[in-house]
């Protein structure tokens, strides 16, 4: 017999130490932005800043610590889920590399290309801050760290918000689409610090697509691949091209 009360507590605790708390802080941040003297469109949201730009060795240590500790909630979710559901049951394995890589790339293109248009439109109509995907100093380790940050984001978000949350909500008897919409809204909420366009609406759409895909395939690996590719293009592309393309500045 399923201990529903215990599962509900588990879900709330996992979200509370991971992306649920990020959503609360993001909501507070967007309230701060909306009540600030500058309009939202004139503010900046920086995703990967330097911590100690004057001491690159310490900055690298901070970046690596952030990446390492950032995946801990995902490992916790997998550990707790493993009591009833093995990782292979959510497709968190390497059994289908061709499918995972190919489908992940296709999903990245499906989400990423319209996403670029949404980023531009959001800025034009003033519902988004200026997003700076990377603000590390031009040091040798910047690109590898940005790639690691992209992988960390993908593992954390897709394991917790899709593999773990949708499985646990199913165990609790939730309707499939209600669970997918709930997951997608939480995903959008913890991106609210960027604004209402690509930050919130874009990520809600991404959550709906990813949630539906997972419901049909029960594989989270293609979603990790897709999310990693999206973030690598955003982070590394911005870092390499910002000094050459005026519209990125």
């Amino acid at each position: 017999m399923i201990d529903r009360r215990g599962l509900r507590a588990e879900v709330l605790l996992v979200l509370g130490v991971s992306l649920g708390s990020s959503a609360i802080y993001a909501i507070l941040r967007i309230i701060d932005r909306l009540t600030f003297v500058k309009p939202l469109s004139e503010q900046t949201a920086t995703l990967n800043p330097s911590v100690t730009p004057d001491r690159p060795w310490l900055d690298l240590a901070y970046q690596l610590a952030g990446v390492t500790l950032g995946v801990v909630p995902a490992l916790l979710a997998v550990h707790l889920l493993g009591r009833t559901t093995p990782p292979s049951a959510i497709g968190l394995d390497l059994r289908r590399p061709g499918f995972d890589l190919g489908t992940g790339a296709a999903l990245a293109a499906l989400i990423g290309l319209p996403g670029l248009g949404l980023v531009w439109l959001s800025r034009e109509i003033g519902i988004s801050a200026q997003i700076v995907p990377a603000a590390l100093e031009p040091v040798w380790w910047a690109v590898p760290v940005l790639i690691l940050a992209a992988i960390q984001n993908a593992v954390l978000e897709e394991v917790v918000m899709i593999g773990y949350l949708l499985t646990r909500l199913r165990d609790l008897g939730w309707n499939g689409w209600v669970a997918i919409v709930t997951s997608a809204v939480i995903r959008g909420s913890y991106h609210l610090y960027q604004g209402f366009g690509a930050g919130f609406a874009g990520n809600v759409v991404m959550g709906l697509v990813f949630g539906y895909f997972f419901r049909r395939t029960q594989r989270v690996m293609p979603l990790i691949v897709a999310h990693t590719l999206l973030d690598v293009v955003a982070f590394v592309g911005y870092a390499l091209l910002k000094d050459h393309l005026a519209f990125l500045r």
Side-chain angles (χ1 to χ4, degrees):
M1 180 180 294
I2 295 177
D3 178 9
R4 294 181 184 273
R5 183 176 180 180
L7 286 187
R8 281 193 290 267
E10 179 193 292
V11 169
L12 291 175
L13 289 171
V14 169
L15 292 178
V17 299
S18 60
L19 297 166
S21 63
S22 297
I24 293 172
Y25 281 117
I27 291 170
L28 294 174
R29 183 59 176 146
I30 194 62
I31 294 173
D32 178 27
R33 289 186 181 281
L34 292 174
T35 56
F36 192 57
V37 62
K38 285 185 178 181
L40 179 60
S41 59
E42 295 180 12
Q43 299 178 45
T44 300
T46 303
L47 276 59
N48 292 284
S50 286
V51 181
T52 56
D54 58 323
R55 287 155 293 168
W57 59 272
L58 183 58
D59 199 5
L60 175 59
Y62 270 114
Q63 302 296 334
L64 294 178
V67 168
T68 303
L69 296 176
V71 300
V72 171
L75 297 177
L76 173 63
V78 171
H79 172 73
L80 294 172
L81 193 64
R83 296 182 299 175
T84 57
T85 306
S88 60
I90 63 171
L92 189 61
D93 55 46
L94 301 176
R95 293 183 301 172
R96 302 178 64 187
F99 175 81
D100 295 340
L101 292 172
T103 308
L107 285 170
L110 176 67
I111 297 295
L113 296 177
L116 292 175
L118 184 57
V119 170
W120 174 83
L121 179 62
S122 300
R123 286 281 294 150
E124 288 297 305
I125 63 178
I127 62 172
S128 176
Q130 173 65 47
I131 300 172
V132 178
L136 298 178
E137 294 298 300
V139 289
W140 66 267
W141 48 261
V143 169
V145 161
L146 290 174
I147 293 173
L148 289 175
I151 296 171
Q152 178 259 307
N153 287 343
V155 170
L156 173 63
E157 294 189 40
E158 305 316 325
V159 168
V160 173
M161 295 310 303
I162 299 294
Y164 170 81
L165 185 58
L166 293 187
T167 301
R168 277 297 185 239
L169 294 182
R170 181 200 64 198
D171 294 341
L172 289 168
W174 283 44
N175 171 273
W177 272 110
V178 173
I180 289 171
V181 170
T182 299
S183 172
V185 171
I186 296 173
R187 184 190 293 262
S189 297
Y190 60 74
H191 288 94
L192 264 174
Y193 68 95
Q194 300 174 16
F196 297 100
F200 179 75
N203 276 284
V204 168
V205 172
M206 179 176 170
L208 293 173
V209 173
F210 280 16
Y212 177 73
F213 176 88
F214 180 75
R215 184 182 177 189
R216 294 295 301 270
T217 67
Q218 288 297 300
R219 287 201 66 76
V220 78
M221 283 300 293
L223 306 180
I224 293 174
V225 170
H227 196 146
T228 298
L229 291 175
L230 289 169
D231 280 3
V232 166
V233 170
F235 299 168
V236 178
Y238 182 88
L240 296 179
L241 298 176
K242 64 179 179 179
D243 293 331
H244 305 285
L245 299 176
F247 69 88
L248 291 178
R249 299 170 198 168

